[in-house]
Amino acid sequence: IRLQLQMCIRYRSSCNLHQAITDLSHTLKSDSTHTKSYIKRAEIYEEFSAYGKAIDDLTTAIEISPQISISYEARSRNYLQLGQYQTASADLMVAIDKHPEKASNYYYRANAYRLQGKLELARLDYLKVVELSPQSSLSKLARVRIKEIPGTLIPKVKKTSRWNLFRKNQQE
């Protein structure tokens, strides 16, 4: 199975995605509980914009290994592509419960809320992105979205001055 997954990665890098799907399908015929194969094949389906097939594979992966948060994250992306924002939000809620420190899940859930017209919930999630990773590019995107929501104050990024870094190093 590992060899087949390595072949899949190799095919993917050379853009032979159809062969990768074929190889992953053979892997799943020999071991129908191999979660990583479902996830990898779903990623390829997503690249082909075959969102329904990706969702099917990710649903199977979740049934086999419900503790793996990446399956919920990936499935939510596919639901978002299909305009199923409420279902995407539900998957992201599970992913956030499993990894509350991952800013990207809050960002995508905020987008899903925004697209549903739930601006207050979107605002809270965008603010959480800024809180969790204030210097990241995702935080910059969240700040742009926050500005689009009326009545929202954007928290300023706290920059550590060189003097404070110097003092901190001196104390250690």
Side-chain angles (χ1 to χ4, degrees):
I1 293 174
R2 280 183 193 252
L3 181 60
Q4 287 176 326
L5 279 177
Q6 289 172 348
M7 289 173 60
C8 167
I9 292 166
R10 183 167 34 100
Y11 287 131
R12 231 176 130 180
S13 64
S14 67
C15 297
N16 193 346
L17 299 177
H18 292 289
Q19 185 62 47
I21 288 174
T22 301
D23 289 350
L24 288 165
S25 297
H26 287 300
T27 300
L28 291 168
K29 282 182 184 176
S30 65
D31 181 3
S32 64
T33 62
H34 197 259
T35 306
K36 287 183 181 181
S37 293
Y38 284 108
I39 295 169
K40 291 291 180 193
R41 190 170 69 175
E43 289 172 359
I44 297 168
Y45 282 142
E46 186 177 355
E47 287 185 38
F48 281 125
S49 301
Y51 305 118
K53 288 182 177 185
I55 288 168
D56 290 344
D57 273 359
L58 293 163
T59 300
T60 302
I62 289 168
E63 290 168 356
I64 296 167
S65 301
Q67 73 281 5
I68 299 176
S69 67
I70 188 106
S71 300
Y72 296 96
E73 296 167 20
R75 191 170 70 171
S76 73
R77 284 194 313 267
N78 288 277
Y79 281 132
L80 286 170
Q81 290 294 328
L82 294 174
Q84 297 178 17
Y85 307 124
Q86 192 169 5
T87 311
S89 300
D91 271 357
L92 287 162
M93 192 173 299
V94 174
I96 288 168
D97 284 344
K98 293 182 179 303
H99 291 286
E101 72 288 347
K102 193 168 183 181
S104 61
N105 289 333
Y106 291 96
Y107 180 79
Y108 293 120
R109 187 174 71 176
N111 286 341
Y113 284 150
R114 181 178 51 81
L115 292 166
Q116 293 175 73
K118 298 177 179 180
L119 298 182
E120 181 59 24
L121 292 173
R123 181 183 71 79
L124 293 172
D125 275 356
Y126 287 132
L127 290 170
K128 187 68 174 180
V129 171
V130 173
E131 175 190 323
L132 288 173
S133 62
Q135 302 294 336
S136 71
S137 59
L138 200 58
S139 178
K140 291 176 186 175
L141 292 171
R143 289 172 188 279
V144 169
R145 293 293 186 196
I146 290 170
K147 288 179 184 177
E148 296 172 355
I149 300 173
T152 303
L153 296 175
I154 303 169
K156 295 188 181 218
V157 176
K158 293 180 183 178
K159 293 185 178 179
T160 305
S161 71
R162 289 184 181 176
W163 173 250
N164 287 341
L165 284 175
F166 174 76
R167 285 183 32 202
K168 183 179 176 184
N169 289 335
Q170 292 298 319
Q171 291 172 351
E172 294 175 351

